[in-house]
Amino acid sequence: MANLDTLVNDISGLTLLETSELVKMLESKLGVSAAAPVAAAAAPAAGAGAAAPAAEAKTSFDLILKEIDPAKKIGVIKEVRAAVPGLGLAEAKALVEGAPKTVREGLTKEEADEIKKKIEAAGGKVEIK
């Protein structure tokens, strides 16, 4: 143990340049590389970082009218017409009566949430996929 204590004291007294030379000498003498463990530890972190954006890739959402309260059908038809540009009264009525049906596709999360709140307030049940 005394030899190890002496060795630690000697190494801690070295300058940065001398420590760098010592590392190079030990690498060549032992046939190892001090940089290998650092690179191996960094590789999994990079792989985990690359997987995270793939999980967040969903940017397009579909709004599906699942069912309606029959007593509030007119309000739901009005909200569906407001949510779908260019949708006529007859088409909106057919969409609402034919639930479950897709109301809109390719929405952002914010748009889908906003439309969902309005249709649910009018008496419909909506799902975002």
Side-chain angles (χ1 to χ4, degrees), residues 7-23:
L7 183 60
V8 169
N9 286 334
D10 290 346
I11 291 174
S12 62
L14 296 175
T15 66
L16 192 55
L17 184 59
E18 291 170 330
T19 306
S20 175
E21 289 176 24
L22 174 63
V23 169

Side-chain angles (χ1 to χ4, degrees), residues 23-47:
V23 169
K24 288 178 187 176
M25 290 170 63
L26 287 172
E27 284 178 338
S28 66
K29 173 115 178 148
L30 300 175
V32 296
S33 174
V38 175

